Amino acid sequence: MASNILEKLTMLDYLIVVLYVLVLVFIGFKSALTAKKNREETLFLANKSLTWPSIGFNMWGTNVGPSMLLAFASIGYTTGIVAVNFDWYAFVFLFLLAVVFAPKYLAAKVSTLPEFMGKRYGDSTQNILAWYSLIKMLISWLSLGLFAGGFLVRQILGIPMWQSVIVLVTLAGFFTFAGGLKAIAKVNVFQMILLIAVSFLLMILGLNKVGGITKLYESVPANYWNLIQPADNPDYPWYAILLGYPVAAIAFFCTDQAMVQSVLGAKNLEQGQLGVNFIGWLKILSLPLFILTGVICYVLFPGLKDPNEAYMTMVTNLFPAGLNGLVIVVLIAVLVGTIGSSLNSLSTVFTMDLYVKRINPNASTQKIIQVGRYTVVAGAAFAVLVALAIDSIKGLNLFDVFQSVLGFIAPSLSVVFLLSVFWKRTTRLAVNLILSAGSIFSLGVGICYLWVFPSKEYPGLWPHYLLLSFLIFAFLIIVAIVVSLLDRNPVSYQMTAEEKSHTEPTSNKVKIAWGALWIVMIGLYLYFS
């Protein structure tokens, strides 16, 4: 087996990479030069001009990071298609975003989700959530995303980590700095189409080498094709996914600034709802494009020492000379999509929720844009430093550790947003308590789970981590309800007449699109169970 692509690159590969970078730069410059009106909104919310294809591709581009390529292929290699639950089950919570949260977000006319909560519960809530969001984006989206991308590029190309992360974050940061959300959205449309094409080609090459889909089906254990695993499955029991995944999914798809920002930049509610519907359809592709790659690798290259190398093994051994440049292009594409969207969200939250709200309320539009761009540069530099720091610590799988710890942050976000939308009696005291003390409690449980009494050493002490996340969520939601009911000076939210007037009804086109997706997804679950 080939160890890396670098030794196989031809002049055609280099030309493909150079051409790709030039196209990206052209799109970025064009977006920046055409954004002449409402420059502040263009930088942060694309001047409220995004249509459903841009929204869907941009959300998918934010979601599909290099860690997904590694993780999905790895899980496909070791357990089969069960991992597709983490993309297919998401349609339920995307539906929740489209029909419940998005109408309220757009009616409130906000730029950020901390601003949305601030309108409901006051400045203290907005401030807590703003800092919460900044830390979360800096660690999970930027630093870990960049580390995963640099790790993958280093494995495939054999170049130092510092070179990988600096070049990639510079490219991603360029679009955010120059054209903001509009430039990122346009770039992501191009890049996600490219990702689909290259991933489909890799799957076809793999299937051809295996001998076809029937041969593949017969060459792996029967349980590889089951979406729903039995309750005694140690990795993905059905009840853990059913109960635990929604906690993370609500926090990720409905309350995360990086994911929701494209919807906030929608031309209108209908385009936002159709864009969220579109990413639901795109997520169906995760099975053939990403997970099946790992299953194919299991047949072609059995006995890998590290299943995380499944994706790398496929791309370094199946692509013929002259096409390896496409693999490099896809790696750049997924990283630019994730990091670019994250930098834009980081810039938006810091500028609008902290700088304008608390530091300089009278700032001019030019100054706001300037601060937003400075934030992009600072965020990119921070991400590079943390990614290199993670890489310098030997002997710890910090990527998996940090991802697990961050998973314990989700319960508090899910609780406060769900209650604020579905229960009018929710008070500011309860929201602030859950966001602060609730997050500390949740993270403390996560630290115990991972380090103090690690689950691998104390298997009888802990439930499955997804079930543990659900139990934390259930505990926090009970605490929030009790605190709200006992609050002697309750400050709760009442929808204003202005927000009611700005709330748009759901169109028939949206109802049809979501009805079709529900039917297809139920059919897929029935077929693969």
Side-chain angles (χ1 to χ4, degrees), residues 182-195:
K182 195 166 188 176
I184 294 167
K186 287 187 176 181
V187 166
N188 274 343
V189 171
F190 167 69
Q191 292 187 143
M192 291 306 102
I193 293 174
L194 184 65
L195 173 64

Side-chain angles (χ1 to χ4, degrees), residues 200-217:
F200 182 76
L201 177 60
L202 180 62
M203 180 198 67
I204 293 299
L205 291 173
L207 278 177
N208 184 61
K209 193 164 185 177
V210 167
I213 189 69
T214 303
K215 182 68 174 177
L216 177 67
Y217 181 83

Side-chain angles (χ1 to χ4, degrees), residues 3-17:
S3 58
N4 61 64
I5 293 179
L6 194 60
E7 61 194 34
K8 299 168 63 179
L9 293 180
T10 65
M11 183 58 66
L12 178 59
D13 294 310
Y14 288 111
L15 287 175
I16 289 173
V17 175

